[in-house]
Amino acid sequence: MDEGIQDRILRRRSVLERTGFSASTLYRKIEAGTFPRQVRISERCSGWRESAVKAWIDGLHED
């Protein structure tokens, strides 16, 4: 990640749009350890680091 650029937090809807997953597939991949885990934003809110999701997507193209 470039210095000076903040890492955005993506909510579930954005992650699903970027990956094309259903919610159940997303959580199944998290449990299997094949997709990045969420980070807690507040007591009842969590999201994914944009850099982690982008790195995961970029990793798909390397195979």
Side-chain angles (χ1 to χ4, degrees):
M1 185 170 63
D2 293 336
E3 301 242 356
I5 297 176
Q6 285 190 323
D7 197 9
R8 294 179 50 203
I9 300 296
L10 302 176
R11 299 300 306 270
R12 186 176 72 173
R13 179 178 292 167
S14 295
V15 173
L16 296 178
E17 288 173 357
R18 290 179 186 215
T19 61
F21 292 158
S22 66
S24 59
T25 298
L26 175 67
Y27 291 115
R28 188 170 42 251
K29 286 188 169 291
I30 291 169
E31 285 302 311
T34 59
F35 194 81
R37 289 200 166 272
Q38 311 95 304
V39 293
R40 178 134 334 256
I41 300 169
S42 67
E43 185 178 324
R44 298 182 63 190
C45 184
S46 63
W48 287 261
R49 293 187 187 280
E50 185 176 32
S51 60
V53 174
K54 183 179 182 324
W56 183 86
I57 292 169
D58 291 346
L60 293 177
H61 299 291
E62 292 176 1
D63 293 338

